[in-house]
Amino acid sequence: MKHHRLRARWLFAIWAVCLIAGIVSFVSPAYADLPPRPIKTPITEKEKPTPEAPAGTLLLNTQPSQDGLWSVVQWQGAAGNWHDVEGWRGVVRQGRTIWWVEQGHWGKTPYRWLVFQEEGGTMLAASEPFALPNSGEILIVEVGLPD
């Protein structure tokens, strides 16, 4: 019974996120040189440990685990410059940040994760470049923080 209530909550959460993402996609201005923006709200593990297909999961894992840091995902353009993914930035909680990857972004590369002391603060670390996960895949990006 508890499992059914939890599943119903997740289905409602998925529906709400999809609704919000649909509304945002209609009112957001289009930029020809930027990829489409993903969901704007980070998803905590307590809210949704594993998304249901069709979605990939991108997980930042800082070492050592720290609360309150700021993270940003970036993509690399054809000229070699890195650009923030507008919707994939937020506070790191318990050393982790999770984003869903929609079908239009599966397997795209290169991306990287940056970790800052705080929003607008000093950059602490950058991950190695990576390709976004495909449907049902969980990509864990480990980022070592300075001592």
Side-chain angles (χ1 to χ4, degrees), residues 75-143:
W75 62 279
Q76 190 174 35
N81 298 327
W82 289 96
H83 309 275
D84 292 357
V85 177
E86 188 121 353
W88 284 351
R89 59 178 99 189
V91 176
V92 176
R93 294 189 189 348
Q94 297 177 346
R96 294 185 172 175
T97 301
I98 300 174
W99 296 109
W100 288 349
V101 179
E102 296 174 1
Q103 185 174 4
H105 302 289
W106 293 344
K108 290 193 176 179
T109 188
Y111 284 78
R112 72 176 179 183
W113 221 311
L114 302 180
V115 179
F116 297 86
Q117 185 67 38
E118 59 192 9
E119 184 176 5
T122 304
M123 187 177 78
L124 300 175
S127 74
E128 293 294 320
F130 57 85
L132 295 177
N134 293 311
S135 177
E137 292 180 348
I138 300 173
L139 174 62
I140 300 172
V141 178
E142 301 274 343
V143 176

Side-chain angles (χ1 to χ4, degrees), residues 25-59:
S25 70
F26 282 106
V27 298
S28 295
Y31 296 97
D33 58 339
L34 296 177
R37 287 179 257 176
I39 299 168
K40 293 192 178 268
T41 305
I43 302 155
T44 66
E45 287 185 298
K46 288 181 182 178
E47 292 172 336
K48 184 80 175 145
T50 305
E52 297 190 19
T57 303
L58 179 59
L59 170 67

Side-chain angles (χ1 to χ4, degrees), residues 11-27 39-40 100 102:
L11 290 174
F12 177 77
I14 291 170
W15 175 83
V17 168
C18 290
L19 179 64
I20 290 168
I23 291 169
V24 168
S25 70
F26 282 106
V27 298
I39 299 168
K40 293 192 178 268
W100 288 349
E102 296 174 1

